[in-house]
Amino acid sequence: MVDSTIEAIATTPPQSYGRRALKRFLKRPMAVLGLAFLVLLALIVIFGPLISPYSFDGQDFSLIGSPGPMTAEHWLGTDELGRDALTRLIYGGRVSLAVGLAGAIISTLVGTVVGAFAGFYRGWTDTLLMRFTDVMLSIPTLPLVLLLSGLFRPGPVLLVAIVGTLIWMGTARLVRSQFMALREREFVEAARALGAGGFRLMFRHILPTAIGPITVAATLAVGSAIMLESALSFLGFGIQPPVPTWGNLLNSASSWLSVAPWLAIPPGLCILFTVLSVNFLGDGLRDALEPKE
């Protein structure tokens, strides 16, 4: 009996790191639920405007003047300009998610490069880059973004650049700590002994080993970027109407909150559940990619 058990264990192929991480991730129900919500939301905002009978800026002139009620033709009613609220909500989700995702990608790239150089080369390079990071952290992000947005009145592309270049500092610190720990490992010393240069050591040998924490940081940056874009648009400094985003939909609906709350509640709930889902997904990825056991 013992021999057969030992033989069964010996003949069982070892699971790959990816499969073990997937099994750990699937044991986190909130992370799985968050991922399912984000996938469903992405499908809705991508394909919803294609099948909607209305355009995001199309007007029904018979309904202009005040928000319209929820009807079979307009499930979430219409705004004061006679535009279908559901279509604008879906299209606004497309813009908000795109800005959040692109901003997170930029912030992750910037933070990874800064943290990699600081952690690998150390010395004056580390001092210079980390002091610059500390200066950026000491500046309140929202007032700085408000100032830049007020000066340039950004469209989607410029807003993505502004958001992405102002939320990279946490990723830079994380990557720096990972590179400082990994640069002394045996596989790095072996690659260095074989003649690998600094860039090859950083981006061919160390970076793939640190990809787990970077992935988690990138996931959480999406939520931060969505919140920042929504706050800017709500305050009137982000993407300007008639292009809808969840933030400027909330701004427009705030004037009619007492008579048409159905215009404000859906975009607010979309922001809330999207950011919660991103955070749940990030927590699940952290537990899956960096197990404590």
Side-chain angles (χ1 to χ4, degrees), residues 2-284:
V2 175
D3 293 340
S4 62
T5 303
I6 295 175
E7 182 179 356
I9 295 174
T11 56
T12 301
Q15 290 185 334
S16 66
Y17 172 78
R19 180 167 296 185
R20 294 196 304 271
L22 178 61
K23 290 179 66 175
R24 288 191 294 265
F25 178 81
L26 293 177
K27 292 179 181 179
R28 275 69 180 180
M30 297 306 296
V32 175
L33 184 62
L35 177 61
F37 176 83
L38 292 173
V39 171
L40 178 61
L41 181 64
L43 293 175
I44 291 173
V45 301
I46 290 172
F47 297 107
L50 301 179
I51 62 177
S52 173
Y54 309 102
S55 62
F56 73 89
D57 57 351
Q59 295 177 271
D60 186 340
F61 294 101
S62 65
L63 299 175
I64 290 179
S66 63
M70 293 181 288
T71 63
E73 292 79 18
H74 303 283
W75 292 2
L76 293 180
T78 57
D79 64 10
E80 70 278 8
L81 296 178
R83 299 173 295 191
D84 183 67
L86 179 58
T87 301
R88 289 181 61 77
L89 178 71
I90 295 174
Y91 194 92
R94 177 186 288 186
V95 177
S96 293
L97 290 179
V99 170
L101 182 60
I105 291 173
I106 291 176
S107 72
T108 302
L109 291 175
V110 174
T112 298
V113 171
V114 172
F117 276 87
F120 183 81
Y121 287 108
R122 300 192 292 189
W124 67 267
T125 303
D126 179 34
T127 301
L128 181 63
L129 291 176
M130 285 300 102
R131 295 301 75 77
F132 175 68
T133 302
D134 292 339
V135 170
M136 294 297 297
L137 282 170
S138 68
I139 301 174
T141 302
L142 185 56
L144 178 58
V145 176
L146 287 175
L147 175 62
L148 294 175
S149 299
L151 291 174
F152 299 108
R153 288 294 176 179
V157 176
L158 183 56
L159 184 61
V160 165
I162 291 174
V163 170
T165 53
L166 292 178
I167 60 172
W168 54 267
M169 291 78 75
T171 302
R173 286 187 162 188
L174 173 67
V175 174
R176 171 183 177 267
S177 65
Q178 291 290 316
F179 269 64
M180 291 187 73
L182 292 172
R183 73 186 300 274
E184 306 297 339
R185 297 282 292 274
E186 291 81 1
F187 69 93
V188 178
E189 293 294 337
R192 185 181 288 111
L194 292 174
F199 278 83
R200 184 176 179 84
L201 288 173
M202 283 193 292
F203 298 109
R204 180 64 185 272
H205 297 280
I206 300 179
L207 183 60
T209 307
I211 202 65
I214 295 173
T215 301
V216 175
T219 303
L220 297 176
V222 174
S224 300
I226 291 174
M227 286 291 292
L228 189 55
E229 182 279 325
S230 298
L232 286 174
S233 296
F234 177 77
L235 295 172
F237 289 90
I239 297 174
Q240 301 298 309
V243 177
T245 71
W246 288 338
N248 65 33
L249 288 178
L250 273 176
N251 185 11
S252 300
S254 61
S255 302
W256 305 95
L257 193 58
S258 60
V259 296
W262 55 85
L263 293 179
I265 293 175
L269 289 178
C270 285
I271 295 172
L272 172 64
F273 288 129
T274 301
V275 174
L276 279 177
S277 297
V278 168
N279 288 336
F280 286 144
L281 177 60
D283 290 341

